[in-house]
Amino acid sequence: MRHSITTLVSTLLLFVILSISSVDAKLARRCMIRPSGAPAVLPVANPAEVSSSSKASATKTKSSTTTTTSTTSARRTIVTTVTTTTSPKSKPTPTTSDTPEPEPTADDQQPKGGHNNNNNNNDDGDNGNDSNARTYRVQDRFEGDSFFDGFGFDSFPDPTHGNVNYLKSSDAFKRGLAYVDGDGLAVMKVDNTNTIASGGNRDSVRISSKNSYSSGLIVLDVDTMPFGCGVWPAFWTVGENWPNGGEIDILEGVGNSNHAQYTLHTAPGCQLDTSFTKINTRKHRRRSLVHSMIGNDREAKHAARDNANGFSGMAFTGTVLTSNCDATINSNTGCGIRDPNPNSYGSALNENGGGVYATLLDENGVAVWFFPRDSIPDDLSSQSPQPETWGSPKAFWSSSQCPTKSFFGPQRIVINTTLCGDWAGSAYSSDPTCPGTCAERVADPKNFDTAQWKIRSVTVYE
């Protein structure tokens, strides 16, 4: 009897010990704690032990998980530790121990806050924020009776091979091809009184500013500009040792066009960055802001530059004609942009009362705006320009692919009208409104009654 009781107690104690060991092992698996005497490699929990109710609950609550992954690149292995806070709408926020994340695509969502808090979602390039606006002051202003005092008259042969004789100042004033009229407008004309031989050279005027400008805002207020078959007028700037000093054609065209053309001519290496066209700028702006958020220094620099200027990427509205600005190739075509406004040039401009052309040259690039007479900003009229409020320029050449400090030296302002020559001569035959040949047209003075400038002012701000 005593032996049976001892055997029963021993059996019960053994059962209790085995039960406790089983519970300890299960707790160890669930709590990821290695029990004493257990192997160093932890067992994998049985998926069947996770109930369907606990899975459903997990999708509604937040959990934290730490995961370590190893990614091998062509240069080295990058170890990334990701701490994830999961909710139905959130995404992982990685912290990388080596290099930044790969470049995001154009479809990446624009980040909120911090870098662009101006609520600027339009494509006009105007963010409505002038907190970083630069203050401009008048450096030179040419107008009225003193207009020509700031210019010299160029009397050398036309470098564009036009059928003109550029007159020196005394001859231009004496022959009535340069003067200030009763309304205070500076007038420069092509001779429209003398008949010459077919293919001969007709008297005209070309003036260049006595001062040169390394940067700043150049504003032309024009009432009337030359136009007509074979006529090639231009308001432009040029540096020394062309093309190394650069050239900016601010208002230029030929014949009977109604659309102005804006063009750069430079030494080799300057390109028009077409990512700043209006159609591409929203994508560019979003990508730049993403890069500034993730620490891509190069893209962040561009984003900071654009935001500081208030242009949000400087979207321009003109049509790209050519993108290589190198004057030594393509017959010196340069990189041109066509103004979409049908009254930005020639007879249409004149009939509309003229307008204002504003050109900004600084370390960020070259931008050109055109404002018809009835749309001139008040700040321009009051000589307190605020370009950051003007919206999209008609043309913009970013320093991203054409650094202005490398391709543009101090610029002199030039105003001239040539006839035929390299551009107007070659384009003459393609204009159905122009009869005969350009050489024949030069002979008759009546053909140039409309070949004249009438300028209200030229103002340079620094």
Side-chain angles (χ1 to χ4, degrees):
M1 182 67 176
R2 184 178 299 175
H3 176 74
S4 298
I5 292 173
T6 301
T7 301
L8 178 60
V9 171
S10 298
T11 301
L12 289 174
L13 289 174
L14 180 60
F15 177 80
V16 170
I17 292 172
L18 292 173
S19 297
I20 291 174
S21 298
S22 177
V23 172
D24 186 45
K26 289 182 179 181
L27 288 173
R29 288 197 299 269
R30 292 183 182 275
C31 300
M32 302 296 284
I33 300 173
R34 181 165 58 90
S36 176
V41 179
L42 297 178
V44 179
N46 186 352
E49 292 180 354
V50 182
S51 66
S52 60
S53 61
S54 64
K55 288 181 180 178
S57 175
T59 62
K60 298 180 182 179
T61 59
K62 295 182 179 180
S63 63
S64 295
T65 307
T66 301
T67 306
T68 302
T69 61
S70 177
T71 303
T72 302
S73 68
R75 294 186 178 180
R76 56 183 175 269
T77 299
I78 302 174
V79 178
T80 305
T81 301
V82 180
T83 301
T84 306
T85 300
T86 305
S87 70
K89 294 183 180 180
S90 67
K91 295 181 179 181
T93 303
T95 302
T96 304
S97 61
D98 192 345
T99 59
E101 283 187 10
E103 180 176 342
T105 65
D107 294 329
D108 286 337
Q109 182 179 359
Q110 179 174 332
K112 296 180 180 179
H115 290 264
N116 186 3
N117 216 15
N118 301 319
N119 296 321
N120 176 34
N121 295 319
N122 61 61
D123 290 329
D124 291 333
D126 183 0
N127 65 10
N129 182 0
D130 60 357
S131 60
N132 294 315
R134 172 181 172 181
T135 300
Y136 293 88
R137 72 174 186 86
V138 175
Q139 181 176 358
D140 284 318
R141 184 170 174 86
F142 312 104
E143 64 177 340
D145 291 338
S146 63
F147 179 90
F148 291 104
D149 293 348
F151 292 89
F153 284 69
D154 301 326
S155 57
F156 47 71
D158 180 19
T160 64
H161 312 106
N163 293 102
V164 291
N165 291 318
Y166 288 133
L167 302 182
K168 59 184 181 181
S169 60
S170 57
D171 290 336
F173 291 136
K174 181 179 179 180
R175 299 182 188 181
L177 300 187
Y179 60 94
V180 176
D181 69 10
D183 295 324
L185 302 179
V187 180
M188 288 162 282
K189 301 173 57 177
V190 172
D191 169 39
N192 62 340
T193 60
N194 298 299
T195 301
I196 63 174
S198 175
N201 290 343
R202 183 167 292 280
D203 290 342
S204 186
V205 174
R206 168 176 161 150
I207 62 174
S208 299
S209 63
K210 295 177 180 178
N211 293 334
S212 57
Y213 311 94
S214 299
S215 63
L217 187 65
I218 300 173
V219 179
L220 166 68
D221 188 338
V222 59
D223 264 27
T224 303
M225 70 171 297
F227 72 94
C229 294
V231 178
W232 178 3
F235 178 91
W236 51 297
T237 70
V238 65
E240 297 294 332
N241 191 25
W242 186 92
N244 296 318
E247 173 185 334
I248 306 171
D249 296 334
I250 298 170
L251 170 57
E252 185 181 32
V254 295
N256 293 311
S257 174
N258 288 328
H259 296 266
Q261 181 170 323
Y262 316 110
T263 310
L264 300 188
H265 303 267
T266 69
C270 172
Q271 293 276 341
L272 167 60
D273 188 344
T274 57
S275 68
F276 287 94
T277 57
K278 187 173 182 180
I279 193 171
N280 289 330
T281 301
R282 186 175 182 182
K283 180 190 300 182
H284 169 85
R285 184 192 318 154
R286 181 169 60 191
R287 184 169 62 246
S288 293
L289 291 171
V290 169
H291 278 286
S292 69
M293 294 292 286
I294 67 172
N296 185 318
D297 292 340
R298 180 177 179 274
E299 289 290 345
K301 180 179 179 182
H302 289 310
R305 176 206 68 198
D306 297 337
N307 290 337
N309 284 334
F311 299 123
S312 295
M314 273 295 223
F316 65 87
T317 60
T319 302
V320 175
L321 301 176
T322 50
S323 59
N324 194 331
C325 310
D326 185 355
T328 66
I329 64 173
N330 300 327
S331 301
N332 186 25
T333 300
C335 48
I337 298 173
R338 184 174 182 261
D339 196 312
N341 194 316
N343 63 354
S344 58
Y345 180 89
S347 61
L349 173 74
N350 298 347
E351 292 167 4
N352 198 43
V356 168
Y357 299 80
T359 302
L360 179 60
L361 169 63
D362 63 17
E363 69 276 8
N364 302 305
V366 180
V368 180
W369 289 263
F370 164 63
F371 303 104
R373 180 62 57 195
D374 58 359
S375 303
I376 300 172
D378 291 340
D379 56 272
L380 266 179
S381 299
S382 63
Q383 298 182 37
S384 54
Q386 299 177 358
E388 68 280 354
T389 67
W390 295 346
S392 299
K394 303 299 182 181
F396 177 57
W397 297 266
S398 170
S399 283
S400 61
Q401 294 186 19
C402 185
T404 52
K405 291 183 178 180
S406 300
F407 290 95
F408 293 91
Q411 301 284 297
R412 294 185 184 275
I413 300 169
V414 182
I415 310 172
N416 73 284
T417 307
T418 189
L419 305 176
C420 303
D422 296 338
W423 185 11
S426 61
Y428 190 94
S429 60
S430 61
D431 187 342
T433 66
C434 296
T437 66
C438 200
E440 293 170 346
R441 189 165 184 84
V442 171
D444 187 350
K446 296 179 181 179
N447 291 329
F448 303 101
D449 289 343
T450 60
Q452 59 179 308
W453 292 95
K454 290 185 178 181
I455 296 175
R456 294 192 180 194
S457 63
V458 174
T459 308
V460 180
Y461 297 89
E462 61 179 0

